[in-house]
Amino acid sequence: MYEGTGEALRLEAVRKVYGDDANRVTALDGVSLALPAGSFTAVMGPSGSGKSTLLHCAAGLDRPDGGRVFVDGAELPGGSEAALTRFRRGRVGFVFQHFNLLPTLDVLQNVTLPLRLAGRRADRTRARAVLERVGLGDRLHHLPAELSGGQQQRVAIARALVTEPKVVFGDEPTGALDTRSARQVLGLLQEAVRVHGRTVVMVTHDPVAASYADAVLFLTDGRIVGHVARPTAEQIAERMTHLAEAAERSAFATEA
Ligand SMILES: Nc1ncnc2c1ncn2[C@@H]1O[C@H](COP(=O)(O)OP(=O)(O)OP(=O)(O)O)[C@@H](O)[C@H]1O
Ligand SMILES: [Mg+2]
């Protein structure tokens, strides 16, 4: 079992506001958290609570309007888009709900792409090894369209892992998959944490998916409102029901 050392991700009072005066939305309202290296965290909360915004700001895909973000001890840089891109390389990997593979590249090319973009030699041996690990060693020269959804998501996971990033973010990575493919994907994320020492942060709406994580963070209206360690699917489902009820009550209170 991998022994985590140090902190993989830290957010300090992160704020993100969309829109202008007329239609301002505070998507993140002072989010602070610290995740140890080698941890697997699920992020849950109602639609519009800021989960994707949180992931994008933490991964350096977007800039917060306030607060600070640190990945592996290094602070997210100000300045150009190019500086952000450099920051992400080697530090973060991202897995999306709809895979986002490049349709004209085959499986192996999709996985070597991040290495080529980082100016590293397109290490095909390493890419092959990662694809073996996700069970796709015999699909190297297929195009994404020739694969099932579950297989495509496993390619996306291989692509996220090939640069050996400190933190892997997943925004509903099992949201478009059937139960069996979802379980495979969750197993791979768990293995990335337990065997390879990565840190995984995954948004999900599914209590069973969240129960693969070591801890669950609950988000409502851009704020962290709860934390459960070593959760069971039942505990998570119960907590979600309470949060939904509380949200409904506060909506009624505002209307009244
Ligand atoms: N690019 C944007 N421009 C304006 N508002 C945005 C933008 N992106 C998100 N928002 C708003 O910020 C809030 C948080 O959105 P976010 O996508 O983070 O929610 P979420 O928790 O991921 O929801 P879901 O579960 O539906 O994916 C929402 O009110 C949303 O409308
Ligand atoms: Mg979202």
Side-chain angles (χ1 to χ4, degrees), residues 99 101-107 110 139 141-149 151-153 155:
F99 326 136
L101 300 175
L102 290 176
T104 57
L105 299 186
D106 70 19
V107 165
N110 263 285
R139 291 287 192 283
H141 299 296
H142 284 59
L143 292 172
E146 297 167 341
L147 301 175
S148 72
Q151 290 169 335
Q152 289 185 59
Q153 194 63 305
V155 176

Side-chain angles (χ1 to χ4, degrees), residues 20-171:
D20 49 27
D21 286 343
N23 52 0
R24 190 177 295 277
V25 175
T26 304
L28 294 177
D29 192 8
V31 171
S32 299
L33 58 83
L35 302 181
S39 60
F40 187 173
T41 304
V43 179
M44 304 189 82
S47 181
S49 58
K51 303 180 297 296
S52 295
T53 307
L54 173 66
L55 249 56
H56 291 162
C57 287
L61 287 169
D62 204 350
R63 276 180 202 289
D65 296 302
R68 306 171 78 183
V69 174
F70 300 83
V71 179
D72 196 18
E75 183 164 12
L76 199 77
S80 63
E81 192 59 38
L84 267 191
T85 306
R86 270 197 306 279
F87 181 84
R88 289 197 301 268
R89 273 183 198 145
R91 284 201 183 84
V92 307
F94 214 100
V95 181
F96 301 90
Q97 181 175 3
H98 297 291
F99 326 136
N100 294 15
L101 300 175
L102 290 176
T104 57
L105 299 186
D106 70 19
V107 165
L108 188 60
Q109 289 168 330
N110 263 285
V111 174
T112 52
L113 186 63
L115 297 171
R116 280 183 279 147
L117 288 176
R120 283 153 71 173
R121 204 166 51 81
D123 190 337
R124 293 159 72 91
T125 315
R126 183 211 295 243
R128 275 206 190 91
V130 181
L131 281 161
E132 290 282 349
R133 235 162 74 198
V134 303
L136 291 172
D138 57 350
R139 291 287 192 283
L140 300 181
H141 299 296
H142 284 59
L143 292 172
E146 297 167 341
L147 301 175
S148 72
Q151 290 169 335
Q152 289 185 59
Q153 194 63 305
R154 284 186 277 143
V155 176
I157 288 177
R159 179 181 60 180
L161 292 176
V162 76
T163 58
E164 307 192 319
K166 192 72 178 182
V167 188
V168 178
F169 295 94
D171 196 351

Side-chain angles (χ1 to χ4, degrees), residues 228-246:
V228 180
R230 313 239 158 257
T232 65
E234 290 72 26
Q235 284 170 326
I236 297 165
E238 197 184 326
R239 192 68 172 254
M240 294 290 285
T241 309
H242 285 309
L243 282 179
E245 284 167 1

